[in-house]
Amino acid sequence: MYSGSILLFLGDLGGGEMLVVMTAILLLFGADKIPGIARGLGRGIREFKDATNEIKHELERSIEDDDKPKKV
């Protein structure tokens, strides 16, 4: 499956549909819980980005270490 096709439905989302989705979220969670949910989601995304950057840097360091000539 093409990975870009997963989020294709977002291209057809207009202003009216966004208003309905936001209203449904407001009714389900309430106005007092939405900031906490958004804060938790932001922290989760930040932790994920930090973890992927750390793995990326470790791989780059490993590749650099392998490329260096070894002393005999």
Side-chain angles (χ1 to χ4, degrees):
M1 182 176 177
Y2 179 65
S3 62
S5 65
I6 294 172
L7 299 176
L8 279 179
F9 69 93
L10 291 176
D12 294 333
L13 204 57
E17 290 89 359
M18 288 295 291
L19 183 63
V20 170
V21 169
M22 293 297 187
T23 304
I25 290 172
L26 182 63
L27 290 174
L28 286 174
F29 296 110
D32 56 336
K33 291 188 181 183
I34 291 177
I37 293 171
R39 195 175 305 117
L41 183 63
R43 285 182 187 148
I45 291 171
R46 170 53 64 195
E47 288 178 12
F48 180 77
K49 285 175 123 178
D50 289 344
T52 54
N53 284 336
E54 183 178 334
I55 292 171
K56 180 181 171 185
H57 291 304
E58 285 181 19
L59 287 173
E60 287 173 354
R61 277 183 277 181
S62 175
I63 291 171
E64 288 174 3
D65 289 343
D66 287 345
D67 289 343
K68 290 182 182 177
K70 296 183 180 181
K71 295 181 180 179
V72 179

